[in-house]
Amino acid sequence: MTTTTNRRKSNTFYVILIAGAAALGGFLFGFDTAVINGAVAALSTAFNANSVLTGLAVSLALLGSAIGAFYAGKIADRYGRVKAMVVASIFFTISAVGSGIAFGIWDFIFWRLLGGLAVGAASVIAPAYIAECSPSNLRGRLGSLQQLAIVVGIFIALLCDYFIAVSAGSAESPFLFGIDAWRWMFWTEIPPAVLYGMAALMIPESPRYLVAQGREPEAANVLNKIIGGNVLAKIEEIRQTVMREREPQFSDLLRRSGGLLPIVWIGIGISLLQQFVGINVIFYYSSVLWRAVGFSEKDSLSITVITGAVNIITTLVAIAFVDKFGRKPLLILGSIGMTITLGTMASIFGTAPLDAAGNPSLTGSSGLVALLAANLYVFCFGFSWGPVTWVLLGEMFNNKIRAAALSVAAAMQWVANFAVSTSFPPILQYFGLGAAYGLYTTAAAISLFFVLFFIKETKGMELEDM
């Protein structure tokens, strides 16, 4: 009995290690998308860029992410999950170096676009790999590692931005070796990008990919380390549910009568709603947003760092409960909480008097209430739609279509992210913060009904039973 228990512990530890290595892609996903937060104003000044070009510098990387996500599944199915991770790590590294040495706004946008391709690929490969290498009783918690890695990446990026900006005096001031502080912000991504590639080279290939390639002895070896027991029976079960006669194709996502399979539409719906609630407005524009309502640059960056910390704490809550309570209850609670908190912010910003620059002036307790509502909103997103979306996308599709379906859903998520991030500045300029948060409130309310009517619980199910 003791030997069996020790073996289970050994298997669990091994699975956590390889899932953690894959989740480094999520860390870079979060880091890469958030590191620009502290550099937005400095970029505008350094390259004499107008608001349109500045917005493109922030958001075009997201279109790169959509492209990377769309093709990542095909690459992962053809060459394997691990090789796709290594390619992503190379792109992350080149993008970090290039963004820091950019000579103008257009080559900066190119380097960010390259990083976006890597972010998109990581957003598909990590959840697929983690789901395919996790025992069913741990899959929710291990799948949540992806979101934990994302929010830790966001937090570390914001922390780096904060310390570099404070040490230099501002993001525009010279830092080490007389080089502008904002350039160093991007270069801080180089070490984790290299580490991701090294970690990817040390983990095994997904057993479900190996079975699909006819490499069953290798799959048996990996499964023995992951779950132990009768691995040959498991291989036979997997064999029945993977595509072996040819590579999976996007046409596999279509019904015979035409149109996407209903499960793919549901995956797209989850992805779109995760973005339409406006979470990335907080992470891409928060330092600018808080400065617009009266906070200093230092205080705005401090608030942004605090928000990042809140996001980490709440993701840990999700990891603790996603396999106990299930996916659907967490999504429902999150939708209710986001609707209330976003509605509060919409009300405060929509009714606040405007200053000479046309920005809301938060007087009295309204500033504190807005700050509290913003962080409660992040809390509600952090234990629900943040991690659970990635858990569901990694597990809800069957073995035949997983990588392809995840690619489509994740690509649509990045398109939605682009739409929300790009539309926020003009909505802010022409309609005000109240209107922007009113739209996100509406999306949060819709997300509640989407979960109630379309999401089925997947807690405890084997991937072969999906």
Side-chain angles (χ1 to χ4, degrees):
M1 188 70 176
T2 305
T3 305
T4 305
T5 303
N6 288 339
R7 175 152 184 93
R8 282 178 184 163
K9 285 182 179 178
S10 175
N11 288 345
T12 300
F13 181 71
Y14 180 72
V15 171
I16 291 171
L17 273 181
I18 63 173
L24 274 172
F27 176 91
L28 285 159
F29 165 167
F31 195 106
D32 192 89
T33 53
V35 73
I36 198 169
N37 190 304
V40 173
L43 276 170
S44 302
T45 305
F47 298 136
N48 194 26
N50 58 32
S51 60
V52 174
L53 284 175
T54 302
L56 287 174
V58 174
S59 58
L60 271 182
L62 304 176
L63 283 188
S65 299
I67 296 167
F70 189 77
Y71 287 104
K74 193 171 183 64
I75 293 168
D77 277 335
R78 177 171 292 183
Y79 302 107
R81 280 54 167 155
V82 169
K83 287 181 181 176
M85 290 183 207
V86 173
V87 171
S89 78
I90 293 169
F91 277 29
F92 275 124
T93 305
I94 296 172
S95 170
V97 173
S99 298
I101 63 172
F103 300 105
I105 192 69
W106 288 109
D107 72 303
F108 175 82
I109 288 173
F110 170 78
W111 297 120
R112 291 293 294 162
L113 201 60
L114 192 65
L117 292 173
V119 168
S123 72
V124 170
I125 298 160
Y129 179 87
I130 292 170
E132 291 177 349
C133 291
S134 301
S136 61
N137 64 312
L138 295 174
R139 199 175 59 241
R141 276 170 280 184
L142 292 173
S144 298
L145 281 179
Q146 165 79 345
Q147 180 66 11
L148 179 64
I150 292 170
V151 298
V152 169
I154 290 170
F155 176 73
I156 297 298
L158 298 175
L159 206 58
C160 289
D161 285 358
Y162 174 80
F163 281 118
I164 290 171
V166 169
S167 300
S170 79
E172 299 167 31
S173 302
F175 187 44
L176 297 177
F177 309 113
I179 299 171
D180 291 343
W182 67 265
R183 295 183 185 274
W184 284 101
M185 291 177 181
F186 293 104
W187 288 338
T188 56
E189 187 178 348
I190 297 172
V194 173
L195 179 63
Y196 177 44
M198 292 170 62
L201 290 170
M202 297 170 67
I203 61 178
E205 187 50 84
S206 155
R208 284 159 177 92
Y209 169 78
L210 291 172
V211 172
Q213 297 298 308
R215 294 157 60 183
E216 292 177 3
E218 293 174 66
N221 185 41
V222 177
L223 285 168
N224 192 47
K225 293 179 181 178
I226 291 172
I227 57 173
N230 189 355
V231 296
L232 294 180
K234 187 65 180 175
I235 285 176
E236 179 57 33
E237 192 179 350
I238 294 171
R239 188 189 292 129
Q240 302 300 320
T241 62
V242 296
M243 198 84 73
R244 296 191 61 176
E245 65 275 13
R246 60 175 174 80
E247 285 182 8
Q249 299 173 354
F250 285 113
S251 58
D252 297 322
L253 306 182
L254 302 176
R255 292 183 294 182
R256 289 179 182 175
S257 58
L260 290 172
L261 294 166
I263 190 69
V264 180
W265 279 117
I266 292 171
I268 290 172
I270 295 169
S271 291
L272 293 178
L273 286 168
Q274 191 206 39
Q275 295 302 313
F276 286 162
V277 297
I279 188 65
N280 283 311
V281 166
I282 295 284
F283 291 114
Y284 298 161
Y285 293 103
S286 57
S287 59
V288 176
L289 188 149
W290 293 119
R291 286 170 75 177
V293 295
F295 290 92
S296 67
E297 180 184 10
K298 182 179 179 181
D299 287 343
S300 297
L301 286 169
S302 300
I303 293 167
T304 301
V305 169
I306 291 168
T307 303
V310 169
N311 209 4
I312 293 173
I313 294 165
T314 50
T315 305
L316 291 171
V317 172
I319 290 173
F321 293 111
V322 69
D323 281 323
K324 294 179 182 176
F325 292 165
R327 288 60 162 152
K328 192 166 181 173
L330 290 181
L331 289 176
I332 290 170
L333 283 173
S335 293
I336 294 169
M338 289 191 299
T339 304
I340 294 169
T341 51
L342 284 167
T344 301
M345 284 192 283
S347 176
I348 290 173
F349 288 130
T351 57
L354 303 179
D355 61 18
N359 295 318
S361 179
L362 302 184
T363 55
S365 62
S366 59
L368 181 62
V369 173
L371 196 58
L372 189 63
N375 281 289
L376 282 173
Y377 159 64
V378 171
F379 178 89
C380 293
F381 179 88
F383 74 74
S384 61
W385 281 82
V388 176
T389 295
W390 292 112
V391 172
L392 281 172
L393 289 179
E395 69 185 8
M396 66 190 285
F397 305 115
N398 66 49
N399 285 336
K400 289 181 180 178
I401 66 168
R402 179 171 300 107
L406 222 169
S407 287
V408 170
M412 291 307 297
Q413 186 175 130
W414 287 110
V415 171
N417 191 338
F418 173 78
V420 172
S421 303
T422 307
S423 64
F424 177 72
I427 291 173
L428 179 63
Q429 182 177 351
Y430 295 109
F431 301 102
L433 267 178
Y437 280 103
L439 288 173
Y440 308 146
T441 305
T442 304
I446 292 171
S447 74
L448 173 60
F449 292 99
F450 184 86
V451 175
L452 289 172
F453 291 111
F454 296 110
I455 301 297
K456 293 183 179 179
E457 185 55 67
T458 53
K459 181 183 74 170
M461 288 177 65
E462 293 289 343
L463 292 184
E464 284 64 50
D465 297 329
M466 291 295 171

